[in-house]
Amino acid sequence: NIPFKLVGKPWLSALTYSFFVDFFFFLKRTTTEIEDVALYMERNLDKKLTLDFLSRVSAMSVSSLCHKFKERYGKTVIEYLVEKRLSYARTLLLSGEMLGIKEIAANSGFDDFSYFCRAYKKQYGKTPREDRNSSYQKEFTLTNVRKKEVQPF
């Protein structure tokens, strides 16, 4: 059941069709593998993840993993990992949980606290402490405004 034929060369059209089916299946499979790597990273943010380890988990070479990942996500594996770790850290930081900033950094997969602070400031424009304090300040101000609105004159 070949959907089309080249005039006089049915074997060529079958070969072409087979090539395109295999090619698109391969592309879909590759994308899925890269998405699996990204999902694995998101589920293991607190663990030490290296390119070598991720390439072994995905059964790809480091070079192939890096190339395909950048092609799919528009950023390197490490940029993606740091971005996800920072996002998780910010969620913990602003959630009201009373965890220390060093503890949040460690829980987010950052071994180096100084690097965490620099990366956080670069990503969000404030240090983790400034971000937490401004969040508390906003919450305090909103709470006071609500109390004043409720009080009768």
Side-chain angles (χ1 to χ4, degrees):
N1 284 345
I2 299 170
F4 59 89
K5 275 198 249 183
L6 292 177
V7 178
K9 308 251 189 247
W11 61 269
L12 183 58
S13 97
L15 185 63
T16 305
Y17 176 75
S18 176
F19 169 77
F20 280 112
V21 168
D22 289 346
F23 178 73
F24 286 113
F25 177 76
F26 173 77
L27 283 180
K28 182 170 176 23
R29 197 178 125 246
T30 302
T31 301
T32 302
E33 288 171 349
I34 294 301
E35 289 171 354
D36 287 345
V37 171
L39 185 61
Y40 181 85
M41 288 191 299
E42 289 175 29
R43 290 181 177 168
N44 294 282
L45 292 174
D46 60 328
K47 298 193 175 47
K48 183 174 176 80
L49 301 174
T50 63
L51 286 174
D52 186 50
F53 176 76
L54 292 171
S55 72
R56 280 187 275 130
V57 167
S58 65
M60 288 186 248
S61 69
V62 171
S63 174
S64 181
L65 170 66
C66 290
H67 176 75
K68 291 174 182 177
F69 199 93
K70 181 141 189 178
E71 191 175 89
R72 170 66 177 90
Y73 290 100
K75 54 187 82 173
T76 67
V77 174
I78 300 303
E79 288 170 339
Y80 182 88
L81 180 59
V82 169
E83 185 179 285
K84 292 298 178 184
R85 284 179 168 168
L86 288 171
S87 176
Y88 179 66
R90 190 168 201 220
T91 300
L92 289 176
L93 191 70
L94 303 179
S95 70
E97 300 265 341
M98 294 313 296
L99 296 172
I101 295 173
K102 283 186 178 182
E103 191 176 0
I104 289 172
N107 289 344
S108 303
F110 290 96
D111 295 333
D112 184 342
F113 183 67
S114 296
Y115 174 72
F116 166 71
C117 291
R118 284 192 313 273
Y120 193 97
K121 184 165 185 166
K122 183 179 178 184
Q123 180 76 21
Y124 299 112
K126 314 175 187 185
T127 66
R129 185 169 314 285
E130 291 168 344
D131 206 8
R132 177 179 264 177
N133 289 343
S134 69
S135 172
Y136 287 155
Q137 184 62 38
K138 285 178 190 173
E139 188 177 309
F140 179 74
T141 303
L142 285 174
T143 303
N144 286 343
V145 167
R146 286 186 194 120
K147 284 181 182 176
K148 287 178 184 175
E149 290 173 356
V150 173
Q151 293 176 355
F153 288 99

